[in-house]
Amino acid sequence: MSQHPGKGYRKVSAHRPEPDTPIKHEPLRAAQSALDSDGSPGRVFASLGHLGIIGGMSPTPPEPSGPARWRKPVAAAAVFSLAVLAVAADVAQLSDFSTRILRALLVAVLVTGLLYLVIKVWQFYFVQKVKELRGQLADEALRVKSARATLQNCLEAIERISDRERPLFAETLEVTVGIGENDNADLIVERRVTTAKPLVTNRTMRPIVPVHSEQIASLESICLTAHRNDGKITLIPLREQINKLKIWLVFDPPISSRSEWRVEYHPKGLWRPFRERGFDSLGWDDRLQSPNGRPSAFTSFTVTFRFPAGDEKPTLKERNEYGQLMACSQNADRTWEITWRDDEPAGRRYDWDFAQSQQNAQNQ
């Protein structure tokens, strides 16, 4: 166009910068030579990048740390704007554009540089904020890990102390074993009457939990609750493992004479094998040694088994022939109850085998 202006075109002389204008002509001439040689825009940008006008063409070094990082987005935006402005000015020298078009082009270049600057600043802030949050998260994770380790050490110390102490009390225990018609209906109730000798502030217990499935036993999973007639009981889990659960009970106020209390829980699916095959077993370890030398702190131990409704009478037997069967009866709702009792507990292990006809299990 500049060599052969046709009809309707008029040649416009390019604006010449003043001597103090910071724009240099050397890179522009190099870019013009590249454009004149084969007309490829790639050679124009390659020339500018070789001369350092477009810094983004070369790999950038790692960002410095600290406040110096704020200079990088500004410098990058300035270099980008100057490069685009240089290319636009050089193209304007090679072409015929009106002053209005040049002004619009200049405004577009400035707006582009400003947007680039805003984006880089926002990106820098976002990256710094993410790094800061990651650092805070790592610190909090270390604190949580330390707190968990401290808590576990405390629970293990409490468990060791409780296992070493002999119970300073005498107690009667009545356990009701409810075999439900489904997994959610299984129920265990332990009623205790504790006589302090001389004071009971806390103790531990091991609830009955399923052992036929690999699952972690916890207070929440069995919905355990405790009730005391003359005070309250605080429950703290000491050990929550697969098929194992141990709880620390704290009495407030402490038991100083005679106190009645009970725990009730629903070990879901405890008697599922019984419902599937018609027979099952239950074991109980009497580990409470009396301080006066007796092998057991229990003065009486009673267990009542409640079976689902059916026409066939269930059977129950203590494997070692400890204790004796007290009664076997059917209620108005066709459920069955068998009561077993030991009036002379001696720190033994009890194992009960019980069964009910498979026809009853199928009718459920």
Side-chain angles (χ1 to χ4, degrees):
M1 290 174 54
S2 59
Q3 298 178 0
H4 305 281
K7 184 177 181 181
Y9 293 91
R10 61 186 182 92
K11 191 172 183 179
V12 180
S13 60
H15 173 69
R16 300 296 181 180
E18 297 296 331
D20 56 350
T21 302
I23 300 179
K24 301 297 183 178
H25 289 281
E26 289 76 10
L28 300 180
R29 294 195 184 98
Q32 182 175 352
S33 300
L35 185 61
D36 292 339
S37 60
D38 59 357
S40 173
R43 294 197 57 182
V44 176
F45 283 95
S47 300
L48 294 176
H50 177 72
L51 295 173
I53 295 299
I54 303 180
M57 296 295 181
S58 59
T60 57
E63 295 185 359
S65 59
R69 291 187 175 183
W70 287 99
R71 293 194 296 267
K72 183 178 179 180
V74 178
V79 170
F80 178 79
S81 301
L82 289 176
V84 176
L85 184 62
V87 173
D90 190 58
V91 172
Q93 289 180 356
L94 302 176
S95 306
D96 293 328
F97 289 99
S98 64
T99 305
R100 182 177 300 177
I101 296 178
L102 291 177
R103 289 178 180 176
L105 182 60
L106 179 60
V107 171
V109 170
L110 295 178
V111 171
T112 303
L114 181 60
L115 291 176
Y116 180 80
L117 175 62
V118 171
I119 293 174
K120 291 296 292 184
V121 170
W122 177 85
Q123 182 183 13
F124 172 78
Y125 172 79
F126 179 77
V127 171
Q128 292 299 113
K129 194 63 177 179
V130 169
K131 291 181 179 179
E132 179 182 353
L133 293 177
R134 286 180 178 175
Q136 295 177 0
L137 181 61
D139 294 340
E140 292 299 326
L142 291 177
R143 294 191 186 97
V144 171
K145 183 178 180 180
S146 177
R148 287 181 176 177
T150 302
L151 176 60
Q152 185 62 33
N153 292 335
C154 293
L155 295 178
E156 292 176 355
I158 293 172
E159 184 177 2
R160 290 194 300 269
I161 293 174
S162 299
D163 291 341
R164 293 170 185 172
E165 290 184 349
R166 290 189 175 184
L168 303 178
F169 58 85
E171 189 171 73
T172 63
L173 172 61
E174 296 181 5
V175 180
T176 300
V177 178
I179 304 175
E181 296 183 354
N182 52 62
D183 289 352
N184 295 325
D186 292 337
L187 173 67
I188 301 292
V189 180
E190 301 181 20
R191 296 179 177 87
R192 301 172 186 259
V193 179
T194 303
T195 303
K197 298 181 179 181
L199 191 70
V200 179
T201 60
N202 65 89
R203 62 177 297 177
T204 60
M205 67 171 293
R206 296 176 176 86
I208 302 173
V209 296
V211 296
H212 56 269
S213 60
E214 297 294 328
Q215 58 183 1
I216 297 178
S218 63
L219 284 178
E220 293 77 12
S221 64
I222 64 176
C223 303
L224 189 144
T225 58
H227 308 274
R228 180 184 172 192
N229 295 339
D230 54 353
K232 68 177 183 178
I233 303 175
T234 302
L235 305 175
I236 300 176
L238 293 179
R239 185 188 304 173
E240 294 179 323
Q241 298 176 347
I242 296 178
N243 302 334
K244 293 181 180 180
L245 177 60
K246 191 173 184 179
I247 303 172
W248 188 36
L249 298 89
V250 180
F251 300 98
D252 186 20
I255 300 175
S256 58
S257 56
R258 184 178 183 274
S259 178
E260 296 182 9
W261 57 282
R262 77 179 191 275
V263 293
E264 181 176 327
Y265 50 98
H266 296 264
K268 183 177 180 180
L270 177 64
W271 302 120
R272 184 186 305 164
F274 174 83
R275 286 184 288 271
E276 293 176 350
R277 62 195 182 189
F279 64 92
D280 209 338
S281 61
L282 173 64
W284 186 288
D285 286 322
D286 179 9
R287 302 178 180 180
L288 297 177
Q289 297 182 355
S290 176
N292 59 7
R294 294 184 66 253
S296 176
F298 290 150
T299 59
S300 177
F301 184 25
T302 304
V303 182
T304 299
F305 291 82
R306 292 181 177 176
F307 294 87
D311 297 329
E312 297 294 330
K313 180 180 178 180
T315 60
L316 174 69
K317 182 180 180 180
E318 204 287 316
R319 194 175 301 170
N320 302 302
E321 298 185 354
Y322 297 139
Q324 58 182 337
L325 294 178
M326 302 301 296
C328 179
S329 60
Q330 187 176 28
N331 301 320
D333 57 357
R334 300 178 60 245
T335 60
W336 292 86
E337 288 188 6
I338 300 180
T339 301
W340 171 96
R341 183 172 180 176
D342 188 357
D343 291 326
E344 296 181 356
R348 299 173 288 210
R349 174 176 173 83
Y350 301 94
D351 291 284
W352 300 276
D353 297 317
F354 49 92
Q356 195 174 23
S357 68
Q358 191 67 21
Q359 181 180 0
N360 286 331
Q362 292 175 357
N363 292 336
Q364 296 169 24

